Amino acid sequence: MRTEIVRPLSWCAAGIIASWVAVMGSVGVLYRHFPNEPLTLTFGLALTVISLIGIVRSARRGPWWCLIPTTVVAIAATIGIITDSTLLLLGLTISGFY
């Protein structure tokens, strides 16, 4: 397969994993493995931002049909960014939130 096809699809896979980590970190499933909630939220936020940048850059260079999966994964990554950043900011402003 050509790199124009492989790169957007690999970033889609990375985006799916990153958005899963972000959403599961915010609802507390990953909290059992990593007991520090601000660390889990920051990790999920960083992963989703990195994957969103990669998705946008690779989608512009890929074929037209790659826009469908990259758009869906970009929406999922945006949801992950919103949930993690909201909970992280609430935890920083409200004492005892975590």
Side-chain angles (χ1 to χ4, degrees):
M1 292 177 66
R2 298 184 320 200
T3 59
E4 299 90 22
I5 297 171
V6 173
R7 189 167 290 144
L9 296 180
S10 64
W11 275 110
C12 283
I16 289 170
I17 293 169
S19 62
W20 180 84
V21 167
V23 172
M24 290 300 127
S26 65
V27 296
V29 174
L30 291 178
Y31 187 70
R32 290 183 228 147
H33 303 292
F34 302 106
N36 190 356
E37 189 162 355
L39 179 69
T40 306
L41 293 172
T42 304
F43 182 66
L45 184 64
L47 281 179
T48 51
V49 167
I50 291 169
S51 68
L52 192 59
I53 291 170
I55 288 168
V56 169
R57 286 186 177 182
S58 66
R60 287 188 291 169
R61 296 183 184 113
W64 64 269
W65 58 268
C66 282
L67 289 176
I68 296 169
T70 54
T71 303
V72 171
V73 174
I75 291 169
T78 304
I79 290 171
I81 288 172
I82 290 170
T83 56
D84 275 359
S85 63
T86 302
L87 289 176
L88 194 59
L89 289 175
L90 284 174
L92 291 174
T93 57
I94 301 172
S95 62
F97 183 75
Y98 297 125

